Amino acid sequence: MSFLIDFATRSRRANDSAYREAYAMLQGMSARDRADIGIKQADFARIAREMSRR
């Protein structure tokens, strides 16, 4: 039970929301758009981290 309380009260890092927004944008792209710029779904996490740092 203490895990749930700690998890709910833990503060989030400043760039977590930026990471989520970048990841959602990548997920929203069509397969053709992703193929045009040459990214694969396995690269989404890395690309979203890089986008959120900027």
Side-chain angles (χ1 to χ4, degrees), residues 15-29 39 43-54:
N15 65 346
D16 276 358
S17 62
Y19 173 80
R20 287 188 194 137
E21 291 171 6
Y23 197 86
M25 184 189 72
L26 291 169
Q27 287 284 349
M29 294 174 68
I39 62 172
D43 298 330
F44 283 6
R46 179 184 54 81
I47 294 170
R49 275 193 304 274
E50 291 174 0
M51 290 171 67
S52 67
R53 287 183 190 137
R54 295 180 184 181

Side-chain angles (χ1 to χ4, degrees), residues 25-45:
M25 184 189 72
L26 291 169
Q27 287 284 349
M29 294 174 68
S30 70
R32 177 171 280 187
D33 290 338
R34 286 183 256 159
D36 285 345
I37 60 176
I39 62 172
K40 297 181 175 115
Q41 191 166 4
D43 298 330
F44 283 6

Side-chain angles (χ1 to χ4, degrees), residues 5-23:
I5 293 171
D6 291 343
F7 185 72
T9 60
R10 181 177 53 174
S11 63
R12 296 185 179 178
R13 290 179 285 179
N15 65 346
D16 276 358
S17 62
Y19 173 80
R20 287 188 194 137
E21 291 171 6
Y23 197 86

